[in-house]
Every structure is written in C-alpha cells, then in structure tokens.
C-alpha cells in the first residue's frame, strides 16, 4: 500500500489535504505540531480528524522560543481581517519564521522511518503572497532537495 505523511494542523486546509490523500488511497501518517501556538484547540481538531480518517498520528512538541509572530507572542494582536493586497509586499504578523521548513523536515524524517514516499501539506496559493514558505517556488525547490537528501527514491 502507498503511504504518505500528512502535516495536520487541524485547520481547514490540512483537513482537506488529509481527505484528498485518503481518497487517493494512501495509508496516512499524520504529524501534528504543538509549537507553542496560540490556537491549541486546533491540536484537538487535528487528533479528531486523524481518528475520523483512521490515520496514525503523532503529536510533536517542539519549542520555537523566538517571538515576532502573532501566533507565538501574546503581546502581538492577531489580525482579524487579512488584506491580501498588502500581503503581496508585506509579510503578515502571523508568519512564523521557517515554520514550514521545520515541519517538512520533521515530515521527511518521519516519511523515511515509515517508508512513505509522499508528504502532503495544506499550503495554498492564497497564502503564498504573504508567507515566504508557502510560495510554489519554495515547494518546487524543497522537492528537489528532498530527492537529493534522502535514501527514498
């Protein structure tokens, strides 16, 4: 059976991503991160989703002690209405430095450990204008790195 690691946050994007992977016939291994984010309820949603779709899951507790993100620093107010036109030139306050790189790196290690040849992440084009690690070029380049940095072919 083909296997995939799913980065599962508990939000809508990753929920849809998990459903797509299951619909395509993958045995799914979900990684859920507790990295000190404000919205801890998403972790519980992610666990519920993993159970609903009969997926193995692991919750990784990692510490991102630096602040400068509204998702990590309670002193910074989370913006309620995102202005996509300004995000084309400004990185949003909710950007967590290197988060996707960190998450995908863990997913890559996990994928090798369980013999999965695919990693799914619920990033989408609407975010890439503001988050540097959601741009299509980022994922294209990371895919190239994965092919050179792992034993899985």
């Amino acid at each position: 059976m083909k296997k995939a690691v799913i980065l599962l946050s508990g939000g809508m994007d990753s929920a849809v991503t998990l459903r797509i992977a299951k619909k395509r016939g993958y045995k799914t291994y979900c990684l859920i991160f507790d990295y000190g984010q404000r919205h801890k309820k998403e972790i519980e949603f992610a666990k519920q989703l993993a159970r609903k779709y009969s997926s193995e899951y692991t919750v990784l507790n990692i510490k991102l002690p630096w602040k400068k993100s509204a998702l990590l620093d309670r002193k910074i107010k989370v913006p309620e209405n995102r202005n996509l036109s300004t995000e084309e030139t400004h990185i949003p306050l909710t950007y967590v430095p290197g988060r996707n790189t960190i998450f995908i790196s863990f997913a890559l290690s996990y994928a090798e450990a369980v013999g999965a040849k695919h990693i799914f992440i619920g990033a989408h084009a609407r975010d890439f204008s503001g988050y540097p690690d959601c741009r299509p070029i980022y994922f294209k380049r990371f895919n190239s790195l994965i092919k050179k940095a792992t034993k899985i072919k």
Side-chain angles (χ1 to χ4, degrees), residues 7 10 15 21-22 25 32 36 38 47 57 65 67 79 81 83 85 91 104-105 112 118 123 128-129 143:
L7 292 168
K22 292 302 279 189
I32 302 165
R38 284 185 183 193
K47 290 179 191 176
Y57 70 88
K67 301 299 181 195
N81 297 310
N83 183 342
S85 63
I91 296 174
I104 294 169
S105 296
E112 279 202 273
H118 300 275
F128 88 81
S129 61
N143 277 331

Side-chain angles (χ1 to χ4, degrees), residues 38-39 70-71 73 76-81 93-94:
R38 284 185 183 193
H39 302 295
L71 299 185
D73 189 342
I76 302 172
K77 186 178 178 191
V78 175
E80 292 185 23
N81 297 310
L93 291 173
T94 52

Side-chain angles (χ1 to χ4, degrees), residues 11 20 24 47 50 52 72 94 104 119 125 131 146 148:
I20 289 169
R24 291 182 182 171
K47 290 179 191 176
K52 177 180 179 174
L72 296 172
T94 52
I104 294 169
I119 297 170
Y131 297 135
I146 287 171
K148 297 189 182 329

